[in-house]
Amino acid sequence: MKILKPQEYVESTNNYNLDSYVVYLSDIKTKLEEALNEAKEMQLEQSVVDNLENQLNDILDILNFLEKHLYKVVLASIENLTLEELKTYSEEEGDTLRAEIKDLEDELSALKSSLDNLNSQIESEQSRENKFKAMFSIEDTNEFFKYDESEEFARFLLDTDLNEESLRVWIEEAIDRVIKEDEGSIDLAKKTSLVNDALARLRKVKNIIQYSPEAKEELIAKIISSDEFNPLVEINMQECESVMIDILGRMILLLKEKTEFFKGLDEDVQNALLCCRFDGETYYQLKDYYEMIKAGKHLPSHEHIQKLIEKRDACEEEYSKIKKRFQEKKNSLNRFEQFLDDGAAMRKKLYNQICHAIEEDTTLEDVEKAIEDYCSNRESLEKDLRSKELEISTKRSNIEEARDILNEDNSAFRSFFYAVSQSNLSRILKDLGVDYSSACVEPIIDAEKKRLEQIEWMCSLQGELQVIEGKIRSLKAKSNPITKLTKRYKRALDELEKEYASVKTKKFKESQEKDLLHISSPQYTFDYTIEGQPVRVPKVASVMVSTFDEIFTVEHFFWDFSTPLSKVANDRIANRIYEKDWDYITGTTMPLQRALVKKLWYCQTDENGHYIFKMTETERNRLIQLQKDIIYIAQEIEKEQRYYSVNIDSARTSYTNGSFWKEKEKLRELGIIGENEAAVTSFIAESEKVISKNIAYLQAYSSLCEEFGIEVPKNPEVADQSPDLDKPIKDLHIPGVTTVSEAKDYMAMLKSLELFTISEESVKTFYIDRVKKN
Amino acid sequence: MKTEELNTFGNLKARPLEENLASLKKISELKKEIEKLLKRNEENR
């Protein structure tokens, strides 16, 4: 197929569009690619493949030619752009800047308004706080808050040597206040009599105190509480009694009202205080504040003010930050406006933008910088590479060792992990609330011993009763219907029955003393789920101990052997004994299950299916022996648990002291987690990747230096390797340039474009200088 | 090829800058595709 050159294409198609021609070339490329694949698939001769490749190379030549000249056109057109046209290409940046400035202005204005608001809040709170402080520093403030209780006030009246005339005026005012509040009236004579009486009483009390000071507290108590001896209340005028009770209270009010502190308060506060007679929320809040100030503490408003100040400071900081950004943006806008008048600058920028458009974000400066960084990093890279190689060699040997450890049939390793898994099982059970350890078995043994005591007691009771029953049976057998009517027979029978009852009473008393009727055993929860999966925990303790609680722990009448266990209880016990949980009990606990089942045999059933606990002597002896066996088994379990916990400790000790510990530690140091083969392999692969990357890195560097004619001292590690142009270059941030050969082509392209007036010679000098400096 | 070949597509300088830039981009992409193809063939040889 002949590839049409531009002129031939236009002549044959009459299409003058450059983009159509590029599409045409692209179609041919696709067809050639298909042909190439088919030729290879059919294993045609190499000459056929070569021919196809040559045609692809022809297209590449045409494209290179087009690209080179189109660049010239583009750059020339930039040169010819007028100032106004240039502005249209640049204006976008100005719009962005203006929008950003507008946003910042809005933010500043909102912050300013918040700041003003905060400042005014702080000012008002502070002024309120200062006002309080000033108020509380008034001299008689203490007087104002002093007398809330009549008792205190009475003490004040008795302790203070008040002028009688002023005391009279005070009492009169208090009486007036009471009358006024009750909207009543009193004639002058009555009032004078009340005042005189009150004064007389006070005088009397004071007189007693003068000669007998120890009576003071008693008198105060009487003034406050006693109806019989209240100098103020016990006024002889019946109708004024209710008025008189309030006099003390009114005197306190009058005292408070006269203080400078009260007079200095705002009118609404005064009204609030008066309204509740100095007993309401306002009064106690003021009092709290006063106590706080006295104790040198801050008022509650102080914390609020501090928070407001913190908020204001943060707001100010934010304001100044945004202000700074705002100023920077303004400066940028100024610079940008100047830039719009500078055609040369706009043109230069447009050049750069075009370079970006063509090669995304690449400029010659980028390449220079990347190579410069590369030079400065070279030394440390070489050092790093050597140390890495050394490290990897050590690690390789360590890994080999680790492999040996892991692959060996290492008995220490296995026994340790067996012990650890057992220990983990014990820990899990403990976490689940089941203490599967020797400490758990001990209380079981104790409970079973108590049970043995109970069984022995029950057997002895049965034995004794059986003897008496035998005597009764034999007496009845010996007697005929006539002798049965004799007094002698009746007496003998009566005595035997009394003996029977007395033995029962005696034995039950004994059982109560020893607390044998009710034995309660520790209980455990049974069912759990771990990660959503139901788990049946071996509930040795629960099954062992609680099964026979229901048989043995019953009411007294059960021991009469006349009252059989109910069917419900019977079923419950039977189910308990045979329930599936026993399937989970293995090892030494198995004989225990069998023993418990045997114990149930001794509870015989009657014809109704009820259990009756009546046994022959042999059965009783067997039951006692069986209970002893149960205790023996439980003790064996406990021994096993003890041995097991000691075993864990010894395994742990041998592990900690032994060589295995060191080997394990080494694995951990090597960063091999989980001790598995995959981790080891992946570690080796990663390490090798690091080596090869670094070798490629140095090769790329050498290659670039060679490109610019710089002599590179050969690195012994690198010298023997032939440069691989397809090795990737690390950290060279030029889009589309990842390998050495691509970097070379890129530089050639930049030069061929003649975009920049830098000669090859000057480029060489530039890099030689860089290397010399380094 | 001579520079005149390019003139067959008319006065490219008279085209808007954006159009020329778009053409450049297409040419560059096609070039890269062909280069990759040739490189792959070379490797498989």
Side-chain angles (χ1 to χ4, degrees), chain A residues 294-437:
Chain A
K294 257 205 318 191
K297 290 180 190 165
H298 289 297
L299 290 175
S301 58
H302 181 78
E303 201 181 329
H304 179 55
I305 292 171
Q306 288 309 311
K307 275 186 188 158
L308 284 173
I309 289 172
E310 275 170 29
K311 220 168 159 186
R312 182 191 60 191
D313 291 350
C315 198
E316 272 174 352
E317 199 181 327
E318 181 68 16
Y319 184 84
S320 64
K321 264 191 214 164
I322 292 178
K323 184 88 185 165
K324 197 175 160 197
R325 267 169 56 205
F326 173 77
Q327 204 49 53
E328 282 167 3
K329 290 285 171 194
K330 283 281 257 193
N331 293 345
S332 300
L333 186 64
N334 286 342
R335 280 199 300 276
F336 178 73
E337 274 160 4
Q338 284 167 7
F339 167 78
L340 287 182
D341 293 333
D342 185 347
M346 281 194 284
R347 205 160 273 127
K348 192 178 170 194
K349 191 162 184 188
L350 203 52
Y351 271 129
N352 286 340
Q353 278 176 351
I354 287 166
C355 289
H356 278 276
I358 297 160
E359 288 293 337
E360 291 170 8
D361 57 351
T362 311
T363 64
L364 184 60
E365 284 81 4
D366 289 336
V367 183
E368 278 177 2
K369 194 170 176 312
I371 292 176
E372 197 180 336
D373 291 346
Y374 204 96
C375 291
S376 67
N377 286 336
R378 180 177 178 272
E379 205 174 315
S380 71
L381 275 164
E382 279 182 5
K383 203 173 154 196
D384 193 31
L385 176 63
R386 279 191 209 99
S387 77
K388 275 204 165 79
E389 278 189 320
L390 200 66
E391 190 191 337
I392 284 167
S393 136
T394 319
K395 282 188 175 178
R396 269 208 184 109
S397 111
N398 285 342
I399 286 164
E400 281 311 311
E401 237 178 286
R403 255 193 195 139
D404 291 344
I405 296 167
L406 296 167
N407 291 343
E408 254 176 15
D409 186 13
N410 190 331
S411 62
F413 184 92
R414 274 194 322 214
S415 70
F416 172 73
F417 281 104
Y418 175 72
V420 169
S421 77
Q422 291 298 303
S423 164
N424 285 344
L425 173 68
S426 173
R427 189 175 50 73
I428 290 166
L429 291 176
K430 200 167 181 178
D431 290 347
L432 293 170
V434 177
D435 190 1
Y436 189 68
S437 69

Side-chain angles (χ1 to χ4, degrees), chain A residues 6-7 16 18-19 21 29 33 36 40 46 50 53 57 59 64-67 69 77 89 354, chain B residues 1-2 5-6 8-9 17-18 20-21 23-24 27-28 30-31 33-34 37-38 40-41 45:
Chain A
Q7 207 156 2
Y16 291 86
L18 172 63
D19 291 338
Y21 181 59
K29 174 240 152 192
E33 189 178 358
L36 202 56
K40 276 196 278 184
Q46 185 58 37
D50 288 347
E53 281 185 357
N57 275 318
I59 298 176
N64 277 331
F65 167 81
L66 289 174
E67 192 182 44
H69 289 280
S77 65
Y89 284 107
I354 287 166
Chain B
M1 274 192 295
K2 291 177 184 174
E5 287 267 359
L6 204 66
T8 50
F9 296 114
L17 191 55
E18 287 85 353
N20 281 336
L21 285 172
S23 299
L24 258 175
I27 289 168
S28 168
L30 185 55
K31 256 179 73 182
E33 282 175 31
I34 295 173
L37 178 62
L38 287 171
R40 207 167 50 234
N41 269 9
R45 187 168 285 178

Side-chain angles (χ1 to χ4, degrees), chain A residues 546-560:
Chain A
S546 64
T547 302
F548 283 89
D549 276 1
E550 291 194 44
I551 296 178
F552 291 94
T553 307
V554 290
E555 296 307 321
H556 283 212
F557 54 75
F558 177 66
W559 299 101
D560 283 346

